[in-house]
Amino acid sequence: GADKMPEGSTDYTEDIYITKKVNGKWTTPENMGDPINTEGHDATTAVAPDAQSMIIYIDDKGDGNLYECKLVGNTWSKPEKMNKNINTKAHESSASYSNDGKTLYFVSNKDGGFGHHDMYVTNWDETLKDWGPATNLGPTLNTKYNEEAVLIHPDGKTLYFSSQGHRTMGGYDVFKSSLGEDGKWSEPENIGYKINSVDDDVFFVI
């Protein structure tokens, strides 16, 4: 996860590993090494549906940002910091590609939100060949508390995320919301036990 380490835990940093399923069994995880992993915290936040792009979180000396790398042949390119419509001087922590790769949902605690970390959406600008201006997903989804670990379902209409707000069983819980034909998101629904618990439940992935 793209969270800061607990107090006193300064000896270890997060790295990204890869493992492959061979004959029904997962191989021994291998550290992806340079140029993916840095001296700070590195965490996978999203892999594109075509598996040719990956967004990773890098802790830039306390200023967490989102970077994107591309699969060129069998090698991942050096991560490139995503543009200013996504990254700010605040903390950007997680992201999710839409199934067609033209929409990106992400989390940031930049100024102007409804609480601490909020969820935002941006669309791919074909003219600029980059991500366009971001829009806050609004007060139906974002609360005065933290929202985290956004995930858009391949159907493009179901959003999963973790929140400390809404009605939780304890800490962060995983919620889902549906996008209506009117373009509005439904009231978030706690997906309940046994996925959620009285502890923090974050980074739900389908």
Side-chain angles (χ1 to χ4, degrees):
D3 296 313
K4 292 182 180 178
M5 298 291 282
E7 281 189 47
S9 300
T10 56
D11 294 337
Y12 302 97
T13 56
E14 295 170 290
D15 270 355
I16 299 171
Y17 287 73
I18 189 168
T19 179
K20 298 177 182 179
K21 202 169 190 179
V22 180
N23 298 325
K25 294 184 178 180
W26 292 101
T27 59
T28 301
E30 296 180 15
N31 189 303
M32 293 188 73
D34 291 332
I36 301 297
N37 289 313
T38 67
E39 293 181 359
H41 294 299
D42 308 289
T44 314
T45 70
V47 176
D50 64 4
Q52 299 302 297
S53 301
M54 177 169 63
I55 296 177
I56 62 177
Y57 164 89
I58 296 178
D59 181 26
D60 294 328
K61 299 178 181 178
D63 174 20
N65 285 296
L66 297 172
Y67 287 69
E68 189 173 41
C69 40
K70 303 285 187 180
L71 186 61
V72 182
N74 294 319
T75 304
W76 287 99
S77 66
K78 182 178 179 180
E80 290 191 12
K81 191 173 182 177
M82 301 184 82
N83 73 25
K84 293 181 180 180
N85 289 325
I86 296 171
N87 287 312
T88 66
K89 292 181 179 179
H91 185 250
E92 285 70 42
S93 55
S94 65
S96 178
Y97 293 102
S98 64
N99 199 46
D100 63 6
K102 295 180 179 179
T103 303
L104 185 78
Y105 294 84
F106 68 97
V107 172
S108 173
N109 68 345
K110 62 184 178 179
D111 291 340
F114 292 94
H116 296 286
H117 285 80
D118 274 9
M119 296 178 291
Y120 293 81
V121 63
T122 176
N123 294 302
W124 182 258
D125 189 315
E126 198 59 49
T127 302
L128 297 175
K129 300 295 181 184
D130 210 341
W131 296 103
T135 303
N136 188 295
L137 289 186
T140 299
L141 301 186
N142 290 313
T143 67
K144 64 180 180 180
Y145 302 103
N146 283 309
E147 276 66 51
E148 187 53 89
V150 63
L151 176 75
I152 185 67
H153 188 279
D155 66 10
K157 298 178 181 179
T158 309
L159 195 75
Y160 291 89
F161 63 96
S162 290
S163 176
Q164 292 175 319
H166 303 294
R167 291 187 174 184
T168 71
M169 298 170 66
Y172 283 100
D173 273 4
V174 179
F175 291 82
K176 74 173 181 178
S177 174
S178 299
L179 185 62
E181 292 183 4
D182 59 359
K184 296 180 180 180
W185 292 99
S186 66
E187 195 68 31
E189 174 188 346
N190 188 311
I191 67 172
Y193 178 81
K194 298 180 177 179
I195 298 296
N196 288 319
S197 68
V198 296
D199 296 312
D200 286 330
D201 304 291
V202 196
F203 292 101
F204 175 78
V205 177
I206 294 178

